[in-house]
Amino acid sequence: MSRPIRVLPPEVTRLIAAGEVISRPLDVVRELVDNALDAKATRIEVELEGGGLSVVRVRDNGVGIPEADVPLAPRRHATSKLADVNAIDTLGFRGEALWSMAWAGELTLVTRPAAQLGAIELKARGDDVEVTRVKAAAGTAVTVRDLFAALPARLRTQVPPATEVREVTTLLGRYALHHPELHWKLVADGEVKLQHAPSDARGAVASVFGALTANRVLSVDAELVRGVLSRPELTRPRRDRMLLAVNGRPVAFPQVLEKAVIAGYGELLPSGQAPLCVLDLRLRPSDVNPNVHPAKAEVALANVPDLAAQLTEAVRAALMASPLVRSAPALHLAEPPRPSQAHFPALHLLGVFRETYLLAEGEGDLWLVDAHAAAERVWYERLERGVHAAAPVELAHPELVQLTPEQAARLAEREETLRAFGVTIEAFGAGLARVRTLPSDILGLPVERLVETVLAEALGVDEPRRAVLAKLACAPALKAGMATVERGRELLLDLAGCVQPYACPHGRPTVVRLSERDLAHAFGRRSPRDLPKGRDVYEAKVETE
């Protein structure tokens, strides 16, 4: 029997609406930081306890809230910011954040404008609001305690505290990158996770990504866009460090604008690579609609094609203004055929080209093998087997290394995972970590600054075990100019024994396969005989057997 349609009671609809705005501690931090920025704060401090579920506190030295307006602050859709819904010029505008926090937890707000005598404290839980006079410095401090304590279903779905701290660290790093002129500080359970003193954009990059990265970025200063972008030698296979803000609001990078930035690099950027960039678009409020996403993480933009063209030109101008950049001719790469991954045949070596590529015959086809990529695959699987079989080795002299705030947050989250494959990294305080053990099979590898390399990959974005082994497999692998006939024969045998012989651990192909028919067509040959592809011959032979 179906249930009748009924109107939900107000106490239920309030909880549902509050959950749309505040679904985790990260949302509380984002909304309160937006409020602080709208209040023209120059110093913003965030504190977390228990991953933010116990306490989230955001302090700022902004303009504060006048005494008469304080009782209205936790009411739904009460805001001082929205003047024109078609031209929103503030980060906050819906008037739902404080109301949602009061329903999701216990809200305490202490505020004082600089010219006001005495501060006002507001405490709210649901519709219960209490206002009193207190003493406090100018500015605003908002505290949310016991988040979701009255919502057990929502509480059970929260991520572990270490994961939430890492996500908040990343978020606050985004704000620091886009607002480098402000003072930022994040403290989690008494430990400073991120701190940035007022500086320029390069200084913010140093605070978030490290000084080495900051030394390899260039400034962008055009009519519509400002920020920094990396020099061509500093690239990544992912676009996770392409960061965009629109009128100071950190947002997801629209794909068309990502492509515009990459197009600005032209032939200076290797295929499949992405730069680091921190860009802030300055647009008219009427050309931006931030009310298209519940968390305001996406915006709708007007005149996107024109904006993309201007962004490409701004990037190109910034790169060409640097003496480190040189023009290079465009390259057009042929797409290799995709071999079947059902098996890997026995290959007969025919020769070596430029001491880098192996030419081999198998199943009636010509195979071209990238010796370095193939050797990386062999070493990757060799290291993987060794790490699984051998016990880790205690380092005689454990090394201390400096961590970025994001790396420190990841360490707290991944410590047990790393220890499971022999890498023991311990937090040492003051942004330092100590590496105590490493898998025995990697200690003898010819890798400069081995410990720092392992640390960087283990605490990077990718899955740590794969990232570490893929990076280390590159060191002992054959390099360009080292391939010989003897080494080539041994490499083909080793590659045939791999679980995944068709790609190196970084995803590049190890082999390209060409049939006689493909070669005949490429040379424009006309032959009375129909040339079957070698792989067709092989498959027909298997079927007859």
Side-chain angles (χ1 to χ4, degrees):
M1 182 176 179
S2 63
R3 296 179 179 178
I5 296 176
R6 62 190 179 93
V7 178
L8 294 174
E11 61 270 18
V12 175
T13 59
R14 291 190 192 103
L15 292 174
I16 293 173
E20 294 175 354
V21 179
I22 303 298
S23 63
R24 55 188 294 192
L26 181 78
D27 297 329
V28 176
V29 173
R30 180 191 294 110
E31 295 290 347
L32 294 180
V33 168
D34 283 351
N35 285 348
L37 291 172
D38 286 338
K40 310 301 180 186
T42 61
R43 184 182 187 93
I44 300 174
E45 299 181 356
V46 179
E47 297 178 27
L48 303 177
E49 293 180 16
L53 293 174
S54 298
V55 173
V56 176
R57 182 178 294 110
V58 177
R59 293 191 185 93
D60 69 66
N61 63 347
V63 297
I65 304 174
E67 180 178 357
D69 291 344
V70 172
L72 296 175
R75 293 185 60 177
R76 192 178 188 190
H77 300 314
T79 180
S80 62
K81 303 176 183 181
L82 188 60
D84 183 355
V85 72
N86 296 312
I88 298 172
D89 59 1
T90 55
L91 299 181
F93 55 87
R94 292 172 178 158
E96 292 184 308
L98 295 179
W99 174 83
S100 298
M101 294 172 201
W103 278 93
E106 180 182 312
L107 173 70
T108 301
L109 180 149
V110 178
T111 184
R112 181 174 77 84
Q116 180 176 294
L117 184 62
I120 302 298
E121 180 183 71
L122 177 147
K123 291 187 177 181
R125 192 168 194 110
D127 284 332
D128 297 330
V129 178
E130 178 184 344
V131 179
T132 57
R133 280 183 166 275
V134 295
K135 293 181 179 180
T140 301
V142 180
T143 304
V144 180
R145 291 185 172 87
D146 301 328
L147 198 60
F148 308 129
L151 302 170
R154 179 62 59 86
L155 188 61
R156 286 195 296 270
T157 62
Q158 297 300 302
V159 298
T163 302
E164 192 71 10
V165 169
R166 175 173 61 82
E167 294 290 341
V168 173
T169 302
T170 301
L171 175 69
L172 213 65
R174 282 288 305 273
Y175 278 101
L177 288 166
H178 295 299
H179 298 273
E181 72 282 2
L182 307 183
H183 175 97
W184 297 90
K185 186 177 182 180
L186 170 63
V187 178
D189 297 315
E191 182 180 350
V192 176
K193 296 294 185 180
L194 175 68
Q195 189 159 353
H196 169 71
S199 66
D200 58 8
R202 183 177 279 106
V205 171
S207 296
V208 177
F209 296 128
L212 184 60
T213 299
N215 289 333
R216 293 191 284 176
V217 296
L218 306 171
S219 295
V220 180
D221 191 356
E223 181 181 359
L224 295 181
V225 60
R226 293 181 180 180
V228 294
L229 50 83
S230 61
R231 298 188 306 191
E233 68 268 21
L234 181 61
T235 61
R236 298 167 61 81
R238 300 173 301 278
R239 299 182 181 182
D240 57 322
R241 290 191 178 177
M242 294 183 68
L243 308 176
L244 179 71
V246 177
N247 295 341
R249 183 193 307 278
V251 296
F253 220 129
Q255 190 175 43
V256 63
L257 298 187
E258 280 187 338
K259 292 180 179 179
V261 171
I262 292 174
Y265 279 80
E267 67 277 1
L268 299 170
L269 197 66
S271 177
Q273 295 291 300
L276 176 150
C277 65
V278 180
L279 301 176
D280 189 8
L281 293 177
R282 295 295 179 180
L283 307 176
R284 293 179 302 179
S286 58
D287 288 338
V288 181
N289 181 7
N291 195 26
V292 297
H293 190 276
K296 297 174 283 189
E298 298 176 2
V299 294
L301 304 174
N303 303 318
V304 173
D306 291 343
L307 186 58
Q310 293 184 60
L311 189 55
T312 297
E313 185 56 37
V315 171
R316 182 179 293 118
L319 290 168
M320 297 311 296
S322 168
L324 302 174
V325 178
R326 298 290 183 270
S327 296
L331 299 177
H332 301 280
L333 303 178
E335 183 176 351
R338 296 176 61 86
S340 167
Q341 296 193 7
H343 71 285
F344 193 84
L347 299 181
H348 171 66
L349 185 65
L350 301 177
V352 178
F353 176 67
R354 302 286 294 178
E355 300 176 314
T356 301
Y357 303 99
L358 309 181
L359 280 67
E361 183 180 13
E363 299 180 356
D365 289 344
L366 177 65
W367 294 65
L368 308 179
V369 182
D370 184 329
H372 177 67
E376 275 189 323
R377 165 53 59 178
V378 170
W379 271 100
Y380 175 83
E381 295 195 9
R382 188 177 295 166
L383 291 172
E384 194 171 39
R385 291 191 298 269
V387 166
H388 180 74
V393 174
E394 192 91 15
L395 299 182
H397 303 286
E399 291 194 33
L400 286 178
V401 289
Q402 184 75 39
L403 300 182
T404 66
E406 192 171 352
Q407 285 177 327
R410 284 204 179 99
L411 175 58
E413 183 182 5
R414 298 179 178 178
E415 192 170 355
E416 293 301 322
T417 302
L418 297 173
R419 188 178 288 113
F421 73 94
V423 178
T424 303
I425 306 174
E426 298 175 338
F428 202 72
L432 298 173
R434 178 171 60 184
V435 181
R436 288 189 49 239
T437 69
L438 291 175
S440 58
D441 277 45
I442 74 174
L443 288 176
L445 295 177
V447 179
E448 292 185 9
R449 304 171 73 175
L450 175 65
V451 171
E452 291 185 28
T453 300
V454 170
L455 188 77
E457 297 300 321
L459 301 180
V461 176
D462 294 333
E463 193 279 320
R465 179 188 179 111
R466 179 177 179 180
V468 169
L469 298 183
K471 182 69 174 180
L472 296 180
C474 183
L478 287 176
K479 304 297 189 296
M482 296 176 60
T484 63
V485 172
E486 292 75 14
R487 289 172 174 169
R489 290 196 183 100
E490 182 179 355
L491 180 57
L492 292 179
L493 291 174
D494 291 338
L495 188 62
C498 288
V499 175
Q500 168 51 282
Y502 290 102
C504 80
H506 307 291
R508 295 193 303 109
T510 57
V511 296
V512 173
R513 183 174 183 173
L514 296 173
S515 70
E516 185 180 359
R517 178 190 294 169
D518 294 334
L519 291 173
H521 288 170
F523 286 109
R525 291 178 59 87
R526 295 183 178 181
S527 174
R529 61 179 179 147
D530 181 22
L531 295 175
K533 292 187 177 182
R535 69 199 72 174
D536 298 335
V537 174
Y538 175 83
E539 292 169 358
K541 181 180 178 182
V542 170
E543 291 177 357
T544 58
E545 294 176 349

